[in-house]
Amino acid sequence: MSSTPETHPRVVIVGAGIVGCSLADELTARGWTDVTVLEQGPLPAPGGSTSHAPGLVFQTSPSKTLTAFARYTVEKFNSLQVDGVSCFNQVGGLELATTPERLADLHRKAGYAASWGVRGEVVSATRCKELWPLIDESTVLGGFHTPDDGLARAVLACRAQLARATERGARFLDRHTVTGIEQEDGRVTAVVTDRGTFPADHVVSAAGFWGPVIGRMAGVEIPLQPLAHQYAKTRQLPELADAETEASRPILRFQDRDLYFREHNDRIGIGSYAHKPLPVDPFAILPYDEARANDMEMPSSFPFTEEDWAPSWEDCRQLMPALRETEIEEGFNGVFSFTPDGMPVLGESRKLRGFWLAEAVWVTHSAGVAKAVAEWMIDGRASIDLHECDLTRFEDAQRSPSYVRERGSQQFVEVYDVLHPLQPMEQPRPLRVSPFYARQQELGARFLEGGGWERPHWYEANAPLVDTLGPLPERDPWSARYWSPIAAAEAKATREKVALYDMTPLRRLEVTGPGALAFLQRMTTNNLRKKPGAVTYTLLLDETGGVRSDLTVARLAVDRFQVGANSATDLDWLTRHAPTDVHIRDITSGTCCIGVWGPLARDLVQPLTRDDFSHEGFGYFRAKETYLGHVPVTAMRLSYVGELGWELYTSADLGLRLWDTLWAAGRQHGVIAAGRSAFNSLRLEKGYRAWGVDMTDEHNPYEAGVGFAVRMDKDGFVGQEALQGLAQAEPARRLTPLLLDDPAAVVLGKEPVYVDGVPAGYVTSASYGYTLGRCVAYAWLPTLASGTGVHIEYFGEKVPATVADEPLFDPKMTRIRR
């Protein structure tokens, strides 16, 4: 009997590994029972990554989303049993530090754990020895112990979830090789296999490292690179001869040598990331039966490479002297998936409706990902923020096969590295540059990278300005990385004179057509029904009232708008909802933008144009299409640094001329080029939010402090119903401004915040406020009165801070509106 997506959706999941089985369980538990799971290999161990996974589940991550995935995976697998055996062995986890840098990293990791609600503590070398008696205590400085981590029995968890989903109506078909994805009018209709065709309203690729193969059948490129990873088991160890269980000691990480360990009864299993990357072509991986015919245990199990193993084996023996009396008994190189940024790839393809991805997911996050994707498919959104995992997050420049291979391989190299939050990738660079790149190089720009763009963070040409500053607090080595006192000088120059900021990487969309106004009115929270020339700050919400993004919308003509957005995900969201009489075009690459900000901004710009740039003639949040010198520009009177100024847009071919025009005109006013480091400091002093950092769709506008952008009295908009009554209610939590009490103290973000000695929230954004002489931190906290004292944990130290009123700088907005 046929069905429709509205009544009884037919779902076909490709892949019966841990993700596919978990997703079938989550979907059927929510009432979608017409679920078919297709697998080319035999069940329950079909030969993919799940079949050989060592099962380590360390929950703590710098990513709040990944930690949430892992927490749910632990919770769920702990509740599952097969034949009386639990699907999770909660032996705990232990990460060792043998260098001061790693020990500091473990303190920071303990902070992440406290921020995201995971139990964990930094322990002494003596305690590490108690937890793992085989280690040489003299080589260890300390460790990070997480008692709720442990070993997922992945194949067992597949069996348990397969059985539950089957009881609810799902069917699992092994020995079915997918050969095609059928589609009609841009929507998936069926999955073709060597044993028949399966009609579908939704198809989910959960094929692991075969994902790119399935994606290509659907016409969807999946940015995923499989790599081989070494895993070995020792011979029997006398020290473990009395082992009564599979494992009783914590799973162990020796990250200073890219190694991890787990027990296998009386043996030890060892995994290594220390070897060179071994990328694998997903189109060349053999099917299950062919792999077995070629003496491979399974398709994901490649021959062990002894030459890569030798250095790691010596490191193992240094850490555990007992290993000096044994040898490796068996080993293999297991294949699993990496992406350019190390995050999963989730969501529905814009190219092919109904085709979903649940790819690049490790066992650690499997059940959590499955829950989120099931919610997304059924409810239209997940209960947690997924923007870091959304398949639309990658720019076109980040989707080339060579980029995916190079960046995926580097993610393998960096799995256990100590990474700074500002640390940019090294290759391939430069990839995307603004038209001002040559001038920025001449000024000694220090570039970091984001979204493929080269972004100046400060300019060495401004080094002499540092001498004009008062004494700056001395920075600790961690916060001093990717920072320069020049940033303070650039912030001061912006407050006192005028500076040019390259804002080109910010996404720009052009929305046109007879239905453009009605469409944007329906999609956003603020009132856009204004005369051409108006600019409006507004929000994109989902149906539950969560903040999907914040936008600036300039009405340039009756049916033409320029939208300042945050990411490719915004473009995807708007495009999915746009009617046929609305056209949306991403104009970012063909345009550029310079922010001209500071008290002398008008003195710089006004002589270049015949148009009136006075406050009366060009008010705040207004736009004009004009000329500056020879350059046609769209000028918008906006400021995200809290100073007078404009965002000036032109086409990319005229960008260099615009820069040179402004630079020449500004010389008499002391103009400088300024970077993102100063920008971030200045915007935090004004309390301007950064979407994806300070707020996401987990937060409503009133909690996030952007309720002023909501007009509840306008005709219906997405999320309006969910906001009813919230403006009048006291929120249980708020995005809260904090000022650190010590003028020399600095935090960077994601640190836990303690109220009355108990973790109560976490820092989102933080930067030293050079105008205020204090570090500014924004944090999600329970509603607290101004003046309340709190503590922020920074590398294990409790740093006092105080809840402040916002905006912290220029609360009457006199500097912007002049």
Side-chain angles (χ1 to χ4, degrees), residues 620 637 642-644 688 810 813-818:
Y620 192 51
R637 185 151 173 220
E643 296 293 337
L644 171 69
Y688 293 139
D810 189 26
M813 303 284 282
T814 56
R815 298 177 71 91
I816 292 177
R817 302 177 185 272
R818 60 179 171 183

Side-chain angles (χ1 to χ4, degrees), residues 600-615 617-618 624 627-629 646 662 665 669:
L600 302 183
R602 183 176 288 118
D603 296 326
L604 189 160
V605 175
Q606 182 62 82
L608 299 174
T609 179
R610 295 181 179 180
D611 283 305
D612 184 0
F613 271 56
S614 70
H615 183 62
F618 197 155
K624 282 186 181 181
Y627 287 86
L628 294 182
W646 289 264
L662 294 169
H669 304 295

Side-chain angles (χ1 to χ4, degrees), residues 457-685:
H457 272 242
W458 66 84
Y459 294 84
E460 291 296 333
N462 296 323
L465 298 179
V466 174
D467 295 336
T468 68
L469 302 172
L472 291 173
E474 185 175 344
R475 291 226 171 187
D476 65 274
W478 186 251
S479 67
R481 292 184 66 185
Y482 306 104
W483 174 85
S484 168
I486 295 171
E490 293 176 358
K492 182 173 184 285
T494 306
R495 290 275 187 244
E496 295 179 354
K497 294 183 179 180
V498 62
L500 306 185
Y501 287 82
D502 182 1
M503 307 303 290
T504 301
L506 300 184
R507 186 168 301 275
R508 292 171 291 286
L509 310 177
E510 182 182 72
V511 181
T512 59
L517 175 60
F519 167 65
L520 289 172
Q521 280 283 81
R522 179 170 61 86
M523 295 303 296
T524 70
T525 59
N526 214 331
N527 183 22
L528 307 181
R529 198 174 295 280
K530 302 172 183 177
K531 294 180 180 179
V535 183
T536 306
Y537 177 80
T538 188
L539 308 172
L540 287 180
L541 304 183
D542 60 27
E543 294 288 355
T544 70
V547 181
R548 286 190 56 94
S549 189
D550 62 340
L551 313 174
T552 53
V553 180
R555 191 175 192 184
L556 302 180
V558 172
D559 59 357
R560 180 166 63 92
F561 297 80
Q562 181 171 310
V563 177
N566 283 296
S567 70
T569 306
D570 295 343
L571 173 62
D572 179 70
W573 178 256
L574 292 171
T575 301
R576 286 177 183 274
H577 291 83
T580 56
D581 62 348
V582 173
H583 307 284
I584 304 173
R585 187 166 65 99
D586 189 333
I587 60 172
T588 309
S589 297
T591 56
C592 58
C593 178
I594 299 174
V596 182
W597 291 312
L600 302 183
R602 183 176 288 118
D603 296 326
L604 189 160
V605 175
Q606 182 62 82
L608 299 174
T609 179
R610 295 181 179 180
D611 283 305
D612 184 0
F613 271 56
S614 70
H615 183 62
E616 296 74 18
F618 197 155
Y620 192 51
F621 267 82
R622 300 290 298 172
K624 282 186 181 181
E625 293 183 291
T626 184
Y627 287 86
L628 294 182
H630 297 94
V631 182
V633 300
T634 299
M636 298 185 196
R637 185 151 173 220
L638 308 174
S639 174
Y640 287 93
V641 299
E643 296 293 337
L644 171 69
W646 289 264
E647 292 179 359
L648 303 174
Y649 299 88
T650 192
S651 56
D653 60 323
L654 290 166
L656 190 58
R657 184 58 178 262
L658 176 61
W659 179 283
D660 288 345
T661 299
L662 294 169
W663 189 259
R667 298 300 287 171
Q668 63 179 309
H669 304 295
V671 70
I672 66 161
R676 299 287 298 184
S677 186
F679 176 90
N680 198 46
S681 170
L682 297 169
R683 70 103 181 162
L684 280 171
E685 290 183 331

Side-chain angles (χ1 to χ4, degrees), residues 114-146:
S115 290
W116 314 144
V118 176
R119 288 201 303 157
E121 63 173 336
V122 176
V123 297
S124 67
T126 301
R127 178 59 177 152
C128 292
K129 178 73 171 179
E130 293 172 357
L131 292 166
W132 253 92
L134 296 187
I135 66 171
D136 179 359
E137 181 184 358
S138 69
T139 68
V140 176
L141 300 180
F144 175 51
H145 181 223
T146 46

